[in-house]
Amino acid sequence: MYLSAEKKQEIFKKYGGDAKNTGSTEGKIALFSFRINHLTEHLKNNRKDFGTQKALLDLVGKRRKLLDYYKNKDIVKYRELIKDLGIRK
């Protein structure tokens, strides 16, 4: 599997502050970004995989909602996060 438990803990430790803080907004956004990048690479090789395409669109929508929430909560941290993750807005 492309996303092991160790990789998840690493993402949450870097962005969420603690490996066990899996509910943090920053951690969820970072995890969604990792999954979006993986699915994007998969779709470059498998253009007709429509199930993956639907899952990718769902993930992008979830991440967008979390980013909007985070922007309203703390604009400075929001800007740092999108710069760190390389998300264009």
Side-chain angles (χ1 to χ4, degrees), residues 51-62:
T52 301
Q53 189 175 10
K54 171 78 168 90
L56 177 64
L57 290 175
D58 289 343
L59 277 176
V60 169
K62 286 181 182 180

Side-chain angles (χ1 to χ4, degrees), residues 38-47 49 52-53 56:
H38 176 74
L39 291 178
T40 302
E41 291 300 318
H42 172 79
L43 283 173
K44 286 181 182 176
N45 297 329
N46 305 290
R47 294 182 307 129
D49 189 353
T52 301
Q53 189 175 10
L56 177 64

Side-chain angles (χ1 to χ4, degrees), residues 58-76:
D58 289 343
L59 277 176
V60 169
K62 286 181 182 180
R63 183 180 73 178
R64 179 77 260 151
K65 287 178 186 177
L66 281 175
L67 282 169
D68 288 341
Y69 164 76
Y70 199 54
K71 182 171 64 172
N72 291 333
K73 184 179 172 188
D74 190 355
I75 189 74
V76 176

